[in-house]
Amino acid sequence: MRKSDKSSGVRLKLLTAAIALAVVATTGPATADDPGRGPGTDPAQQTEPGYGGEPGDDQGDEPGVDPTPERAPTSEVSWLSFPGGAFAVDPLGRTVRYRACDGDTGRVADPTMRVAAGVASGEVTVDGRRFRYRVPLVGRTEGALIVSGPQAQPVELTGVVVTSPQPPTDPVAGARLFPLSGQLARVVGDANLNPAGATVRDLSGRYGDQQIAVNGSLRPKAASVIKLWILVELLRRVDCGQVSLGEGVLVTPADVVGGTGQLQYETFPQVVTLHRLAKYLIKYSDNIAANVLITYLGGFAPVNALIDSMNQRSTILARRMLDSAAAQRGEENYTSPDDVVSLLGAVWDGEILTPASRDLMIGFMREQTLNTKIPAALPPGVPVAHKTGDLPDASHDVGYYLIPGTETAVAFLTAGPMATGDETVRRMARTVYDFLVTPTEGAVEE
């Protein structure tokens, strides 16, 4: 929730130091969404294409490996955060995207983009609107975007540049977090049945806002972790004044599915407020709430547009909850530890939601009722806000450790058998907690 006010020259030095110390994340096998555990029907749901791999893409060398994304991940992607929106820049693909309260350009090619001295600049015109931009490719610096139209005065938007990962604000303090990566690597290495990945970002400044990862690009099926992006897209629209959480949505018997959640035990049809849908989406990981909100938001495309505008290349929403027919067709939701922490960090820092919506989202996560992983691994009373994801072949838990003065964003994702995956998540969660409360001094990575 703090913004760095250091000069661009200092930030460039910080980024160089961070890159030199960064833990290399590797891609690994993937798997799973919520298994049906309760009553309810599983009606076939019509799906639509989303951003990412298409059904039938090469599946890799072993079963369960994620499809190759439609566009390969790049090492230099930045997005400019400004009130009500984001301006994403991909300097390798020479594309940009403007997405804000007043519209969305989609991905736009800018073959004349200039990339020099760590800054991408250029100009594109979409539907009569001109976008002139100057976006550094270094996180925590300031970028600028000028938007003009045929009948409107130019508006200059400035804001912080977000990268994944963000560079540390203090590389010396950040180096003290690196021994944790060695400890997590041993837990991951011991998980013989469960490919696992963990990404951890300091949010408190105690470790210079450093991020570390072990298999941070692991791309398992997202399971219910994908519901975080559904919620952020809804709250973004609330922030834009486009919807109100007091608005009601008609839920019908055709919307009822099983798995996790509370709505399946109620009587339908009935009108449910957006606030209750949003709360149940996270508190109970409610599958009906997820599917109803996907429909309300306009399908998969808007959620994938949000993901794309933040340059989160491993994440996609491609099917509804409990849509077994879509899963059999190869349509699946995916994410990675790095993408999850990218989202959590942007929410925490107020870069994608207003403070009020951010606090509401974290409040829902604090009320999470599925507490067999992160909370179960920690001493009673340790404050956390989190979101789980379960499938027969996946187990995840992600969120925030809210220990005063040591606030931290974490993402623990696994593939493979859920039972052993649960234990791997708990071991990773406890490893991070023990490090935070009894930190290892020094700047040497194990």
Side-chain angles (χ1 to χ4, degrees):
M1 302 179 186
R2 293 165 291 99
K3 305 290 183 187
S4 172
D5 57 0
K6 297 184 179 180
S7 67
S8 297
V10 172
R11 291 189 182 94
L12 286 170
K13 293 179 182 178
L14 296 180
L15 181 64
T16 301
I19 292 173
L21 293 170
V23 179
V24 177
T26 58
T27 303
T31 36
D33 192 314
D34 296 326
R37 292 176 175 169
T41 60
D42 185 12
Q45 301 281 358
Q46 183 176 358
T47 60
E48 57 191 273
Y51 169 73
E54 296 297 326
D57 282 352
D58 184 6
Q59 298 293 303
D61 296 327
E62 56 185 299
V65 174
D66 62 287
T68 302
E70 188 174 281
R71 290 185 290 139
T74 64
S75 58
E76 291 185 321
V77 288
S78 306
W79 57 279
L80 178 63
S81 167
F82 54 88
F87 186 79
V89 174
D90 178 350
L92 298 185
R94 292 297 198 271
T95 65
V96 298
R97 182 173 197 152
Y98 172 87
R99 190 166 194 261
C101 297
D102 61 349
D104 183 352
T105 63
R107 274 282 161 180
V108 179
D110 182 10
T112 63
M113 180 189 296
R114 297 176 295 280
V115 181
V119 176
S121 59
E123 179 179 311
V124 295
T125 300
V126 182
D127 295 332
R129 300 179 76 190
R130 185 173 65 174
F131 302 87
R132 296 173 54 197
Y133 61 93
R134 185 183 184 280
V135 178
L137 304 178
V138 181
R140 304 187 192 280
T141 53
E142 186 173 275
L145 173 69
I146 298 176
V147 183
S148 58
Q151 297 179 340
Q153 293 293 322
V155 175
E156 182 174 7
L157 303 170
T158 60
V160 66
V161 171
V162 182
T163 58
S164 183
Q166 288 278 65
T169 55
D170 182 344
V172 175
R176 294 195 298 109
L177 191 63
F178 283 111
L180 175 59
S181 64
Q183 296 176 21
L184 285 170
R186 286 193 287 273
V187 176
V188 169
D190 289 342
N192 297 325
L193 297 177
N194 298 93
T199 300
V200 179
R201 181 188 294 183
D202 171 44
L203 302 173
S204 68
R206 181 178 183 180
Y207 296 98
D209 301 285
Q210 181 67 59
Q211 177 171 322
I212 59 125
V214 177
N215 288 349
S217 60
L218 179 83
R219 193 174 186 247
K221 296 173 185 177
S224 285
V225 171
I226 199 68
K227 293 169 183 174
L228 291 174
W229 279 272
I230 297 171
L231 177 61
V232 170
E233 174 59 16
L234 175 65
L235 294 179
R236 188 193 70 83
R237 296 190 189 187
V238 172
D239 293 341
C240 288
Q242 297 168 350
V243 302
S244 167
L245 290 179
E247 179 182 339
V249 179
L250 179 64
V251 180
T252 71
D255 295 314
V256 175
V257 294
T260 54
Q262 291 295 109
L263 287 175
Q264 62 186 294
Y265 303 111
E266 299 186 15
T267 301
F268 299 97
Q270 67 163 293
V271 173
V272 182
T273 65
L274 288 175
H275 184 277
R276 188 152 79 101
L277 290 171
K279 181 176 182 176
Y280 281 25
L281 178 74
I282 304 302
K283 181 174 181 177
Y284 302 111
S285 197
D286 198 290
N287 290 324
I288 297 175
N291 289 347
V292 169
L293 286 172
I294 289 171
T295 299
Y296 177 84
L297 293 170
F300 305 145
V303 177
N304 288 321
L306 169 72
I307 293 165
D308 184 51
S309 70
M310 293 186 286
N311 284 319
Q312 292 159 349
R313 299 302 177 80
S314 295
T315 303
I316 181 173
L317 173 65
R319 70 168 175 85
R320 299 172 188 270
M321 306 303 111
L322 275 293
D323 188 348
S324 57
Q328 290 173 1
R329 293 193 298 267
E331 297 160 10
E332 192 51 83
N333 307 323
Y334 290 97
T335 191
S336 70
D338 284 349
D339 275 7
V340 171
V341 166
S342 173
L343 179 71
L344 295 174
V347 169
W348 181 271
D349 288 337
E351 291 159 342
I352 197 67
L353 297 176
T354 63
S357 287
R358 172 198 63 208
D359 293 346
L360 184 65
M361 174 173 169
I362 294 175
F364 290 158
M365 294 173 71
R366 294 194 70 163
E367 295 182 41
Q368 168 73 248
T369 57
L370 307 176
N371 293 316
T372 61
K373 295 181 217 178
I374 290 178
L378 310 185
V382 175
V384 297
H386 69 115
K387 180 71 198 77
T388 57
D390 290 319
L391 279 174
D393 54 357
S395 176
H396 315 316
D397 208 353
V398 309
Y400 303 99
Y401 287 21
L402 297 174
I403 305 167
T406 315
E407 293 83 0
T408 306
V410 299
F412 308 123
L413 272 58
T414 75
M418 184 169 62
T420 51
D422 288 354
E423 181 57 29
T424 297
V425 169
R426 285 190 289 266
R427 288 190 62 200
M428 291 190 289
R430 183 63 189 226
T431 298
V432 172
Y433 172 79
D434 287 345
F435 185 91
L436 294 177
V437 297
T438 55
T440 302
E441 297 299 330
V444 178
E445 180 186 344
E446 293 187 2

